[in-house]
Amino acid sequence: METLFRYLSFLLLLAAVPLTFALKFDIEAHPGHESARYERCIRNFVAKDQLVVVTAIVSGQRGDGQMLNLHIRDAMGNDYGRPKDVAGESRNAFTSHADSAFDVCFENIRTSNSGGQAPTRHVELDIDIGADAKDWSAIQAGEKLKPVEAELRRMEELVQEIVGEMDYLRGREQKLRDTNESTNERVKWFAFGTMGMLVGLGAWQVVYLRAYFRSKHLI
């Protein structure tokens, strides 16, 4: 009981502390040929029907000889957006269609033929999922909640997401265990069948050789 209490306390503490950070990187412009080769993608996992907000802050400005395109898609083939010529801050929100990994891909195309070193764009990427993706200030104002009530709502949703993720992992573990047990059962019966065939083949060889030598002896 004490262990469970400590675990729940840890989850509540984790939910109370907002762990938000942005991924920062530079992406070099390319001439525009073989676009897929030059894409830079960041992958994350999302459960079905979860809200996702992708925020990208891109340096530079439109018309500076570069065109940075953004593409958001998941492993199931769903397309969530293709913003073109992104500069400054870009926010893209979507609701996931399946339990799947999704990719946020960037491609920087060089639109001018000026010489020198290839130009680059600096990108700051922030991906918020589930309760973290909601605008709690707007929810607090719209529902006239006190700051403590809004924070408790946020913590409650975070805990529900953690419990849901644990249930999902437990279900995957059960499926893998069932697959493993089924495979072991098939391997066992295959081994028994192979041993039976070998024993039968050995017995047939003994009978055949005895009959052969008897026929030779009689001749």
Side-chain angles (χ1 to χ4, degrees), residues 2-215:
E2 183 178 355
T3 304
L4 178 61
F5 177 75
R6 289 180 180 178
Y7 181 69
L8 291 176
S9 300
F10 171 74
L11 290 179
L12 290 174
L13 179 62
L14 184 65
V17 179
L19 301 176
T20 58
F21 62 91
L23 179 63
K24 302 179 182 180
F25 58 91
D26 294 326
I27 180 168
E28 186 176 299
H30 68 89
H33 308 293
E34 300 180 0
S35 297
R37 175 183 172 187
Y38 294 97
E39 273 190 340
R40 178 172 295 185
C41 297
I42 289 84
R43 174 163 291 189
N44 209 329
F45 183 83
V46 65
K48 184 179 180 180
D49 296 330
Q50 274 195 323
L51 176 65
V52 180
V53 176
V54 178
T55 305
I57 302 177
V58 183
S59 64
Q61 56 187 359
R62 295 180 178 177
D64 62 356
Q66 304 175 75
M67 183 174 67
L68 189 137
N69 300 325
L70 179 63
H71 186 195
I72 305 173
R73 60 180 183 266
D74 66 12
M76 306 298 292
N78 298 308
D79 202 324
Y80 296 110
R82 289 174 174 265
K84 302 288 186 181
D85 200 6
V86 177
E89 181 174 347
S90 172
R91 291 174 61 88
N92 300 271
F94 65 90
T95 301
S96 58
H97 299 327
D99 296 328
S100 173
F102 69 94
D103 295 323
V104 181
C105 297
F106 296 86
E107 178 192 14
N108 192 13
I109 300 175
R110 190 171 183 172
T111 56
S112 66
N113 295 323
S114 58
Q117 188 177 4
T120 61
R121 286 278 183 89
H122 181 73
V123 179
E124 295 185 12
L125 176 65
D126 188 16
I127 301 176
D128 295 314
I129 300 175
D132 289 331
K134 294 184 177 181
D135 188 352
W136 289 101
S137 298
I139 294 175
Q140 178 182 346
E143 300 184 14
K144 298 181 180 180
L145 300 174
K146 296 180 180 179
V148 176
E149 294 174 336
E151 184 65 19
L152 287 175
R153 280 270 302 275
R154 187 182 73 86
M155 290 171 59
E156 181 184 2
E157 291 199 15
L158 284 173
V159 170
Q160 289 177 353
E161 289 177 4
I162 293 172
V163 172
E165 185 174 353
M166 292 177 64
D167 291 338
Y168 173 75
L169 293 175
R170 188 181 299 111
R172 283 181 59 89
E173 180 186 2
Q174 182 64 40
K175 289 182 180 178
L176 292 175
R177 186 185 300 113
D178 293 342
T179 302
N180 188 31
E181 291 177 355
S182 175
T183 304
N184 290 338
E185 190 72 16
R186 292 179 181 179
V187 170
K188 181 183 70 174
W189 286 111
F190 177 77
F192 286 160
T194 304
M195 291 177 61
M197 290 177 61
L198 291 175
V199 171
L201 180 61
W204 177 81
Q205 287 180 338
V206 170
V207 172
Y208 175 79
L209 290 174
R210 289 181 63 182
Y212 175 79
F213 286 117
R214 282 180 180 177
S215 64

